Amino acid sequence: MIHYKSKAEIELVRESSLLVSDALALLAASIKSGVTTLQLDKIAEEFIKDNKASASFKGYHGFPFACCISVNDAVVHGFPTNNELISGDVVSVDVGVFKNGFHGDSAYTFGVGEITQEIKQLMRVTKDSLYKGIEKALLGNRVGDIAYAIQDYTEKQHGYGVVRDLVGHGLGRSLHEDPQVPNFGKRGTGAKLREGLVIAIEPMINLGTKDVFHDKDGWTIRTADGKPSAHYEHDICIQKDKADILSSFTAIEAAEKLNTELCSDY
Ligand code: MG
Ligand code: MG
């Protein structure tokens, strides 16, 4: 069942979504060679707690951390670890917060130090595909229009693998609500987009094969061919004209540019 949100509820999702964006911006300033993803997880969790919110992922179906941090061939749901990041790593960070009864959920992929041209392109195309999806998130369109736009751009035009096993979703009082929002599909199919619908759009795009598997830790999803993957996620609300983006990459991108240990020319 889809829960359409009132204006007041949308503002509460926005508050949670922007808190996620601020947490990701803080991590954008903190990522460098030698830092561990467990240290990054602690930084984000402390920030969330300091802002009188809780980390949505911690304890979700038993997930033990505040953030999902997925390095290189890890696609999503990565466990933070004691491994130090090194130049060339591609790091996807997914954060959720719960505040005032509503969740925010957003993700961003960072390149540490010197990144290969092929990974730069993967990051750029994946981020662009998110906005191509959002462009189709229009009143009267269907979920399949968003899905098709992302798949067409990443898979058909760039030959990347679009993960089939994981999808975007509605969100609000629950972290994952109806409808599912896949990154692949047919135009004109799926749930109709109505005013007040809040969804997380999150392309998970692999450099190589679309196929993935579960790591031994029971959570981390990895690419079947060991090639890298990228993931960007915005929370949006369907409105009369164009979609209202509730999360923001502005502060993340500014911090990414300022942090000389991060690749920002992709
Ligand atoms: Mg997420
Ligand atoms: Mg999500």
Side-chain angles (χ1 to χ4, degrees):
M1 199 181 104
I2 296 175
H3 300 282
Y4 298 94
K5 273 78 185 173
S6 68
K7 288 216 158 29
E9 290 172 328
I10 291 163
E11 290 317 307
L12 292 174
V13 179
R14 191 193 310 277
E15 192 180 331
S16 296
S17 299
L18 289 176
L19 186 54
V20 174
S21 303
D22 289 344
L24 287 169
L26 180 61
L27 295 185
S30 312
I31 296 177
K32 58 181 179 183
S33 295
V35 80
T36 72
T37 51
L38 211 44
Q39 288 172 321
L40 297 174
D41 182 69
K42 289 277 165 293
I43 290 169
E45 187 172 15
E46 236 166 75
F47 176 80
I48 292 166
K49 282 184 181 159
D50 287 348
N51 282 278
K52 299 180 176 58
S54 59
S56 303
F57 302 167
K58 196 153 191 179
Y60 185 80
H61 294 292
F63 188 81
F65 301 100
C67 308
C68 297
I69 307 184
S70 309
V71 181
N72 297 332
D73 67 317
V75 180
V76 286
H77 303 170
F79 266 24
T81 70
N82 274 317
N83 298 335
E84 291 180 1
L85 293 175
I86 57 169
S87 179
D89 281 343
V90 54
V91 185
S92 299
V93 186
D94 195 346
V95 178
V97 310
F98 184 68
K99 188 174 182 178
N100 301 320
F102 288 86
H103 292 273
D105 179 15
S106 179
Y108 199 92
T109 297
F110 301 98
V112 182
E114 295 293 320
I115 295 297
T116 64
Q117 283 304 329
E118 84 180 336
I119 291 178
K120 282 185 188 180
Q121 180 177 293
L122 174 71
M123 290 167 67
R124 183 175 67 246
V125 168
T126 304
K127 195 199 271 190
D128 287 349
S129 78
L130 170 57
Y131 292 103
K132 299 216 176 268
I134 293 171
E135 273 172 31
K136 297 294 175 190
L138 299 170
L139 199 68
N141 271 4
R142 291 181 182 271
V143 165
D145 295 303
I146 300 171
Y148 175 86
I150 294 169
Q151 184 181 18
D152 183 70
Y153 186 64
T154 55
E155 200 171 84
K156 202 163 167 207
Q157 296 185 41
H158 288 92
Y160 294 143
V162 177
V163 175
R164 303 299 201 270
D165 307 54
L166 300 137
V167 296
H169 50 91
L171 88 161
R173 290 191 186 277
S174 299
L175 178 60
H176 295 124
E177 296 184 359
D178 287 337
Q180 292 199 339
V181 184
N183 301 302
F184 55 93
K186 287 192 171 69
R187 281 178 284 194
T189 64
K192 203 159 197 177
L193 305 179
R194 299 182 202 280
E195 210 173 333
L197 176 67
V198 175
I199 51 174
I201 303 179
E202 48 177 318
M204 291 157 256
I205 307 298
N206 299 343
L207 186 63
T209 178
K210 65 184 188 323
D211 297 331
V212 296
F213 71 96
H214 257 107
D215 188 280
K216 288 190 296 291
D217 65 23
W219 277 97
T220 308
I221 305 287
R222 295 186 186 279
T223 59
D225 59 8
K227 290 186 178 174
S229 185
H231 178 214
Y232 295 84
E233 176 178 25
H234 266 317
D235 300 331
I236 66 134
C237 180
I238 305 300
Q239 295 292 4
K240 274 210 176 66
D241 36 17
K242 63 177 182 157
D244 184 1
I245 304 179
L246 304 176
S247 42
S248 170
F249 288 165
T250 305
I252 303 168
E253 285 165 345
E256 185 183 41
K257 277 207 172 64
L258 275 175
N259 183 348
T260 53
E261 298 258 358
L262 283 182
C263 165
S264 59
D265 65 331
Y266 56 91

XYZ file of all heavy atoms in Angstrom, residues 57 93-96 104-107 169 175-176 200 202 231 233 235, ligand 1:
130
model
N 19.642 2.608 9.668
C 20.104 1.264 9.280
C 20.509 0.426 10.488
O 20.484 -0.792 10.426
C 21.306 1.348 8.321
C 21.048 2.123 7.047
C 22.113 2.503 6.235
C 19.765 2.471 6.656
C 21.886 3.216 5.062
C 19.528 3.189 5.487
C 20.597 3.569 4.687
N 28.815 5.369 -0.022
C 28.334 5.501 1.354
C 26.832 5.747 1.316
O 26.363 6.669 0.647
C 29.030 6.667 2.090
C 28.617 6.681 3.554
C 30.544 6.568 1.964
N 26.098 4.913 2.025
C 24.638 4.999 2.092
C 24.274 5.258 3.552
O 24.716 4.527 4.439
C 24.041 3.668 1.600
C 22.567 3.765 1.282
O 21.921 4.757 1.683
O 22.053 2.831 0.630
N 23.508 6.345 3.788
C 23.159 6.715 5.158
C 21.652 6.918 5.259
O 21.030 7.468 4.353
C 23.886 8.024 5.581
C 23.488 8.445 6.987
C 25.402 7.855 5.497
N 21.077 6.484 6.377
C 19.671 6.752 6.663
C 19.543 7.333 8.058
O 20.289 6.945 8.959
N 15.045 9.586 6.324
C 15.706 10.108 5.131
C 16.728 9.072 4.725
O 17.254 8.346 5.580
N 17.031 8.966 3.429
C 17.885 7.874 2.935
C 18.577 8.364 1.665
O 17.913 8.652 0.669
C 16.966 6.679 2.640
C 17.693 5.470 2.094
O 18.943 5.411 2.189
O 16.998 4.563 1.577
N 19.903 8.495 1.725
C 20.608 9.006 0.558
C 21.999 8.386 0.483
O 22.555 7.968 1.504
C 20.699 10.537 0.649
O 21.389 11.082 -0.452
N 22.524 8.315 -0.725
C 23.832 7.682 -0.924
C 24.655 8.460 -1.940
O 24.103 9.158 -2.810
C 23.643 6.237 -1.403
N 12.762 2.709 -3.598
C 11.592 2.407 -2.769
C 10.890 3.667 -2.303
O 11.502 4.744 -2.257
C 12.071 1.619 -1.541
C 13.232 2.287 -0.843
N 13.064 3.189 0.177
C 14.576 2.230 -1.071
C 14.262 3.639 0.562
N 15.200 3.083 -0.189
N 11.370 2.893 6.549
C 12.541 3.107 5.686
C 12.247 2.618 4.270
O 12.671 3.228 3.301
C 13.740 2.365 6.288
C 15.047 2.429 5.524
C 15.543 3.866 5.375
C 16.111 1.579 6.228
N 11.557 1.506 4.176
C 11.203 0.953 2.862
C 9.695 0.799 2.778
O 9.111 0.005 3.497
C 11.890 -0.400 2.634
C 13.381 -0.283 2.566
N 14.230 -0.983 3.387
C 14.168 0.471 1.771
C 15.488 -0.658 3.098
N 15.480 0.220 2.127
N 12.651 7.010 -2.878
C 14.112 7.061 -2.984
C 14.474 6.429 -4.326
O 14.126 5.277 -4.583
C 14.748 6.291 -1.840
N 17.575 5.239 -6.602
C 18.965 4.903 -6.278
C 19.601 3.931 -7.269
O 19.686 2.736 -7.009
C 19.063 4.362 -4.849
C 18.076 3.290 -4.456
C 18.340 2.800 -3.019
O 19.515 2.617 -2.658
O 17.368 2.592 -2.276
N 26.909 4.053 -6.779
C 25.556 4.150 -6.211
C 25.301 5.581 -5.745
O 26.064 6.106 -4.937
C 25.487 3.180 -5.014
C 24.184 3.185 -4.270
N 24.121 2.986 -2.903
C 22.898 3.332 -4.679
C 22.854 3.014 -2.507
N 22.090 3.225 -3.559
N 21.900 8.168 -4.519
C 20.492 8.073 -4.115
C 19.970 9.420 -3.633
O 20.597 10.076 -2.805
C 20.358 7.041 -2.977
C 18.955 6.916 -2.400
C 18.868 5.853 -1.304
O 19.903 5.566 -0.663
O 17.756 5.319 -1.092
N 16.179 11.302 -2.254
C 14.764 11.172 -1.879
C 14.021 12.287 -2.600
O 14.450 13.446 -2.554
C 14.593 11.354 -0.367
C 15.385 10.323 0.419
O 15.583 9.219 -0.102
O 15.805 10.634 1.553
Mg 20.088 4.347 0.927
